[in-house]
Amino acid sequence: MKKRILSLVVAGAMAMSLAACGGSGTPAATQAASQAATQAAAESKAEDNKGGADPAQVELNLIIASNQTSEENPYSIGMDAFKDALEEVSGGKATATVHKGTLGENENELVEKLSMGAADLVVASPGFMTSIGVPEVDFFSLYYIFDSFDHWEAALDGDFGAKMQQTILDKTNNGFRVMSYWTSSVRDYYGKKAIKTPADLKGMTIRTQSSQVQQEFWKQCGAVPTSVAWGELYQALQQGVVDSAENDYTSFMLKEHHKTPNGHYICETHHDFTTRLLLMDGNRYNKLTDEQKEWVDAACKKATEVERETVYTMFKTSKEKVIADGAEVTAFEDMDIDAFKKIAEPIQEKFAKDNGMEEELEMVKKANPANK
């Protein structure tokens, strides 16, 4: 069963890699990256132990990885917090080797390594699971399902999040255990012209993710969803290959998309409060002692607090940076958000009905602090 899951994971994730923020990779490049990662792991082991756990006392060393290479990325900061917390709560009996893009800059590589046992925890988008028999995870791709970061947290840390964790664990035969929910912030439109209503998008090409429910939303807005690799998007916006795109402030600020002609106008649609998964192989987790599980659970909790707070802080500072660079922003309050939600809500309802998730949809709605 595990071999079957692994083969499906690799095939499905490879198909989705162009839509992910890490770019694409050839088999040769993947092999080279894997070899480099092995060497990097060996070279970094001594460095990781400096000033931390005493190697002679370490009984548990976990490998944690994301596809982001920047030290300032929220994932990187969250993983460092995991290592520090793990060493603290275990009294130096456990530590972590942290890989920031060095095990692969494509999420498909990380998921493959997790399934093979070459990594213990990875940060990944949930979408790859649709290809391995967990269509329910596309619920996270629905637009306007959350109204705020507070709403997102209440839902993911509550009954809805717990139910999704169990669904994923059951449907992957314990292959993927969601240790925690992370985020990459909230996504907005940016393009060659300002928009305020869905009608303003008519005929415009927009670079989107590959999710069918997301592409259907943009189509109903009158736009033309287009696939462009994340690493090629700056050039596509610069040269007019695409009219617009959508992502969070920090991601497009770091890539300077807002400095291109077709990324100049940012309109705060706030259509997607993103969900990322901190994943561990459930079978690997079950092999830990009860004490080790307590250490790992506590470290995940602390890392999640740090990652989320970093995201929320960077949302503000990244917005300030793009405005200082000359980009023009239409604030959320000035957008016709009701018109966008009017398109999104039938898509939500259809997805919930088709996948037997009406209960989950109600859970999310009830979790909204604004309704209490």
Side-chain angles (χ1 to χ4, degrees):
M1 177 64 182
K2 187 166 184 178
K3 290 182 179 179
R4 176 177 173 272
I5 288 178
L6 173 58
S7 64
L8 288 171
V9 165
V10 175
M14 288 291 286
M16 295 183 66
S17 63
L18 285 179
C21 290
S24 58
T26 63
T30 300
Q31 182 179 4
S34 180
Q35 293 171 346
T38 302
Q39 181 178 353
E43 293 174 350
S44 67
K45 187 172 183 180
E47 184 66 26
D48 285 336
N49 284 323
K50 278 186 180 180
D54 180 353
Q57 296 183 13
V58 170
E59 65 181 58
L60 178 67
N61 186 358
L62 300 178
I63 298 172
I64 182 171
S66 83
N67 68 334
Q68 298 297 314
T69 58
S70 171
E71 291 284 343
E72 298 177 0
N73 185 276
Y75 300 164
S76 298
I77 294 171
M79 292 192 302
D80 286 339
F82 175 87
K83 173 183 170 67
D84 292 342
L86 185 62
E87 292 177 353
E88 181 178 353
V89 298
S90 69
K93 294 180 180 179
T95 187
T97 301
V98 178
H99 287 281
K100 301 166 184 177
T102 50
L103 280 188
E105 292 187 51
N106 295 328
E107 287 185 348
N108 62 299
E109 296 177 75
L110 299 184
V111 171
E112 179 181 359
K113 286 179 171 60
L114 180 66
S115 295
M116 293 172 60
D120 297 300
L121 294 100
V122 301
V123 184
S125 304
F128 78 91
M129 291 186 186
T130 60
S131 63
I132 60 170
V134 196
E136 291 89 345
V137 298
D138 228 14
F139 191 100
F140 294 122
S141 300
L142 294 169
Y143 285 165
Y144 293 105
I145 203 71
F146 305 112
D147 288 340
S148 65
F149 287 123
D150 286 343
H151 183 194
W152 178 85
E153 280 201 16
L156 272 297
D157 294 341
D159 293 340
F160 168 72
K163 186 163 187 179
M164 291 299 292
Q165 284 177 307
Q166 193 61 50
T167 296
I168 291 169
L169 198 63
D170 291 344
K171 289 213 164 186
T172 63
N173 195 27
N174 213 32
F176 294 102
R177 181 186 182 91
V178 178
M179 301 300 295
S180 193
Y181 294 104
W182 288 12
T183 180
S184 60
S185 196
V186 61
R187 299 170 79 103
D188 295 307
Y189 159 96
Y190 55 101
K192 69 178 183 181
K193 71 173 186 177
I195 65 167
K196 287 190 175 181
T197 71
D200 296 332
L201 284 158
K202 186 175 182 179
M204 291 183 65
T205 53
I206 182 168
R207 187 270 185 184
T208 71
Q209 299 178 87
S210 61
S211 166
Q212 291 185 358
V213 292
Q214 293 181 353
Q215 292 195 356
E216 180 61 26
F217 172 85
W218 295 111
K219 288 177 182 178
Q220 291 195 29
C221 287
V224 182
T226 304
S227 295
V228 177
W230 178 246
E232 299 171 5
L233 185 52
Y234 176 91
Q235 186 175 12
L237 291 165
Q238 181 71 26
Q239 297 180 352
V241 175
V242 291
D243 298 322
S244 60
E246 53 83 37
N247 217 309
D248 65 274
Y249 271 113
T250 298
S251 293
F252 67 73
M253 179 275 292
L254 290 173
K255 290 293 187 178
E256 299 191 333
H257 292 173
H258 61 289
K259 294 183 178 181
T260 68
N262 285 10
H264 179 75
Y265 295 94
I266 301 161
C267 303
E268 294 183 337
T269 45
H270 285 9
H271 52 271
D272 184 12
F273 287 85
T274 58
T275 301
R276 298 296 178 261
L277 308 179
L278 181 59
L279 293 169
M280 188 172 185
D281 185 320
N283 298 298
R284 170 76 167 110
Y285 180 84
N286 289 343
K287 290 179 181 178
L288 300 176
T289 67
D290 289 343
E291 184 180 39
Q292 290 172 343
K293 289 176 183 177
E294 290 178 2
W295 298 341
V296 174
D297 291 346
C300 286
K301 181 178 180 180
K302 180 60 179 178
T304 298
E305 293 172 358
V306 171
E307 194 273 343
R308 291 180 184 179
E309 187 56 40
T310 302
V311 167
Y312 303 155
T313 299
M314 291 187 73
F315 170 83
K316 181 176 182 294
T317 58
S318 297
K319 178 178 178 177
E320 292 171 349
K321 177 66 166 59
V322 301
I323 292 174
D325 286 341
E328 297 184 46
V329 175
T330 302
F332 177 77
E333 294 77 14
D334 296 325
M335 299 289 295
D336 187 357
I337 296 300
D338 287 342
F340 287 98
K341 286 185 175 182
K342 189 175 181 180
I343 292 174
E345 286 169 356
I347 297 174
Q348 297 172 8
E349 293 167 0
K350 184 179 186 303
F351 179 87
K353 182 178 180 181
D354 290 348
N355 291 276
M357 300 185 73
E358 292 94 340
E359 181 181 353
E360 286 84 346
L361 185 58
E362 283 303 310
M363 284 181 177
V364 170
K365 291 178 179 178
K366 289 179 180 178
N368 192 347
N371 296 334
K372 297 180 180 179

